[in-house]
Amino acid sequence: LDFPVGIWPLLLVSYCIIAGYIVMMFKSRRDGHVFISQWYILAACFWFPWSYLTANLLIHHFPSAAVINTAIGGWYGGTLLMLWFVPIGLGVTYYLIPKVVGRPIHSYQLALASFWSLALLGGGVGVQHYMGGPLPAWMASVSGAAMVFMVVPMVFIALNLVTYSPTLRFVFFGGISFVVFILLGAAFSLFRFGKVFQFSHGELGYQMTGLYGFFTMIMFGAIYFIMPRLMGCEWRSGKWIRFHFWFSAYGTGAMLLSLLMAGFSVVGPRVDAASKFPRTACGSLQRRRSRVRRWNCLPTWWGWTGREWARDLHRRRLCLLPHADGAPSPGSGHRHVARWLGWSGAEMARR
């Protein structure tokens, strides 16, 4: 949504061309039966252009108050997850598991029920993140209720896909992440938890669980299943596939736990009426972010290697200390470093 106004129509047209070719391939299929994986993928081809077109039209061509644009952005982010990434991931899951295991899904009726539940509820999520804000209360309430009821298709999908195969470890992990993703979304949609977790790292952990834990792991499983059949040869090493899986699972789990712990760490100050919100939530985050950006850019600016950076770390700490009154000395640290390195003023400016 941050693209210039003239860019998004081109992206929409290019995506519609891709979706049109997918529909043409679907119409020219040999078998007349429609599998549940095809339901999800075809529906995603129509859901994404609808949400993308709606959000861009309302923001760029029918402008309204800034707070309404914020609600539209939240709605678009929720539908992007629920009506694009989730259907694609579920479609791949419904294809891979019966294909590898060698038997059909448990119940086609349950699969259809989960599909239509996702279709009815997925387009209403996203605004619940702004509960308590300057928006009509019904918007956050309806969006939160839709997210809570997303537990229903999650249960149907879990009952249909209760199976495990060593070759489907990525898909199995993605299924578990999908359950965690829906449960976290339902919990954060409740006012009791949402009022303290909104705008925190916990919300980011919820989004990353759906994007990395579910969608990305499902796509990894699809790559490991499809590529040998396209290339006509097997993977050279199963050990590296196992390494890939465990490191990916470890990274996803560590990221989720770290973000949830970061979200829990700000619950206390945020629910305390005596604490200042910018001081507890925004101020510390901005200071830490600017500090990390500054220390990461210094070696690049000066062309230092890692060994030189470690050797001169103590010197830079000394030269970037603030004055006695607590205010930092603008540019003093850079002048001291330039003097220690023997740079002139012109050399410092050039670097």
Side-chain angles (χ1 to χ4, degrees):
L1 298 181
D2 293 333
F3 282 115
V5 180
I7 298 298
W8 74 265
L10 301 177
L11 296 177
L12 180 64
V13 170
S14 62
Y15 178 78
C16 289
I17 294 174
I18 297 173
Y21 276 102
I22 294 176
V23 174
M24 293 171 58
M25 291 174 58
F26 174 76
K27 291 183 64 176
S28 61
R29 70 190 187 281
R30 299 176 182 177
D31 191 2
H33 180 71
V34 181
F35 296 96
I36 191 61
S37 58
Q38 296 171 334
W39 281 76
Y40 278 105
I41 293 177
L42 282 175
C45 291
F46 292 99
W47 287 337
F48 176 72
W50 163 68
S51 61
Y52 188 69
L53 176 64
T54 303
N56 279 282
L57 285 178
L58 292 178
I59 290 179
H60 296 298
H61 298 281
F62 301 98
S64 57
V67 65
I68 301 300
N69 290 340
T70 302
I72 295 171
W75 170 81
Y76 174 72
T79 54
L80 185 66
L81 278 173
M82 292 298 173
L83 296 183
W84 173 244
F85 289 110
V86 168
I88 294 295
L90 291 178
V92 173
T93 303
Y94 273 112
Y95 171 77
L96 287 178
I97 290 182
K99 196 75 173 178
V100 175
V101 177
R103 59 176 182 267
I105 58 177
H106 176 68
S107 173
Y108 191 77
Q109 288 72 26
L110 276 179
L112 285 179
S114 64
F115 171 80
W116 288 112
S117 300
L118 180 66
L120 293 175
L121 300 172
V125 302
V127 191
Q128 74 274 9
H129 303 305
Y130 302 107
M131 62 179 67
L135 292 172
W138 66 267
M139 297 179 67
S141 300
V142 171
S143 184
M147 191 65 228
V148 171
F149 279 109
M150 283 295 295
V151 176
V152 176
M154 182 269 293
V155 173
F156 291 160
I157 293 167
L159 291 177
N160 242 343
L161 300 178
V162 177
T163 184
Y164 176 72
S165 172
T167 58
L168 292 177
R169 52 175 60 93
F170 286 95
V171 180
F172 183 73
F173 185 88
I176 295 177
S177 299
F178 176 71
V179 174
V180 176
F181 168 66
I182 296 297
L183 293 179
L184 283 178
F188 290 164
S189 299
L190 302 176
F191 185 75
R192 180 175 182 179
F193 299 100
K195 66 179 180 180
V196 293
F197 278 102
Q198 61 181 172
F199 312 123
S200 70
H201 290 84
E203 286 284 349
L204 181 60
Y206 150 73
Q207 297 173 358
M208 293 298 104
T209 302
L211 187 58
Y212 289 123
F214 169 63
F215 182 78
T216 304
M217 296 295 279
I218 294 293
M219 292 299 107
F220 284 153
I223 291 172
Y224 282 122
F225 180 81
I226 295 174
M227 284 300 295
R229 287 153 181 81
L230 290 178
M231 304 302 295
C233 60
E234 292 295 331
W235 295 99
R236 297 187 61 180
S237 175
K239 179 178 67 174
W240 289 107
I241 297 177
R242 290 191 294 271
F243 283 163
H244 179 204
F245 168 74
W246 287 114
F247 279 116
S248 299
Y250 168 77
T252 303
M255 177 184 62
L256 174 61
L257 291 178
S258 300
L259 292 173
L260 288 179
M261 291 173 61
F264 276 112
S265 65
V266 299
V267 169
R270 292 182 66 178
V271 299
D272 185 8
S275 62
K276 297 180 180 179
F277 177 77
R279 183 177 180 181
T280 57
C282 299
S284 61
L285 178 60
Q286 292 177 356
R287 286 194 298 271
R288 284 169 173 78
R289 185 167 53 189
S290 62
R291 185 180 302 174
V292 170
R293 188 186 300 116
R294 179 181 62 192
W295 289 110
N296 283 337
C297 289
L298 283 177
T300 306
W301 290 340
W302 292 333
W304 287 356
T305 62
R307 183 175 300 177
E308 293 171 338
W309 174 249
R311 185 184 62 220
D312 297 330
L313 177 61
H314 181 65
R315 291 183 178 179
R316 279 191 306 258
R317 284 179 177 174
L318 292 178
C319 70
L320 292 176
L321 286 176
H323 287 301
D325 57 357
S329 176
S332 62
H334 297 79
R335 290 195 297 270
H336 286 302
V337 171
R339 186 172 67 250
W340 283 336
L341 295 177
W343 292 346
S344 62
E347 179 73 10
M348 182 65 183
R350 184 181 67 81
R351 289 182 177 265

